[in-house]
Amino acid sequence: MHKMKRFFIIVFSALCFIVVCISCFIYLFNINDYSKWISEQLKLTTGYDVRFEMLENNWLTENKLSVVGLSLYQQDMRIVYINRLDVEIENLDLWSRQLMIKKLHLKGLSLILKHR
């Protein structure tokens, strides 16, 4: 009985440690540190050169993501600049890879149209 109690205490302690480590990682993780890598991956997968200055994540509290300083480049020339893009998410199912967007709000849209 004493060995069983010790076993459960060890298992419980290990699970608590894992939960604390994962919580600390999520709390301290800043996606803005990976903005250049995200832009490169978008370019590889979609062919579009998309860059952004900052990403604000309010998904847990407001079901909203905000992208600040969003730019679309073509042949190293910026053609679209959006000062702020707010995306309200209605439903996000990561398991089946489904995203339903409730509302998009664009603030400060600039289009650069140059003919060569």
Side-chain angles (χ1 to χ4, degrees), residues 13-103:
S13 298
L15 288 175
C16 288
F17 178 73
I18 290 171
V19 168
V20 167
C21 288
I22 291 172
S23 299
C24 287
F25 174 76
I26 291 171
Y27 181 74
L28 297 174
F29 180 76
N30 186 359
I31 196 162
N32 292 310
D33 295 339
Y34 302 95
S35 63
K36 186 174 180 180
W37 180 82
I38 293 169
S39 295
E40 291 171 359
Q41 294 303 311
L42 281 170
K43 188 173 183 178
L44 286 174
T45 56
T46 65
Y48 294 107
D49 189 3
V50 178
R51 303 174 194 171
F52 62 93
E53 295 172 12
M54 188 173 70
L55 182 69
E56 296 174 0
N57 184 0
N58 296 325
W59 184 70
L60 295 175
T61 57
E62 302 174 12
N63 288 348
K64 184 170 93 171
L65 296 171
S66 299
V67 182
V68 178
L70 181 65
S71 301
L72 177 63
Y73 284 81
Q74 187 177 42
Q75 298 172 350
D76 290 328
M77 188 172 90
R78 185 168 69 188
I79 57 172
V80 176
Y81 178 78
I82 302 170
N83 189 28
R84 184 179 183 93
L85 171 66
D86 293 325
V87 181
E88 285 189 34
I89 299 168
E90 183 155 339
N91 187 13
L92 176 63
D93 186 1
L94 295 175
W95 186 260
S96 59
R97 296 182 183 183
Q98 292 183 348
L99 170 66
M100 289 178 52
I101 296 175
K102 184 176 184 179
K103 183 169 94 172

Side-chain angles (χ1 to χ4, degrees), residues 3-21:
K3 289 183 180 182
M4 229 17 188
K5 188 176 179 181
R6 188 182 315 163
F7 173 76
F8 283 121
I9 290 173
I10 291 171
V11 169
F12 181 74
S13 298
L15 288 175
C16 288
F17 178 73
I18 290 171
V19 168
V20 167
C21 288

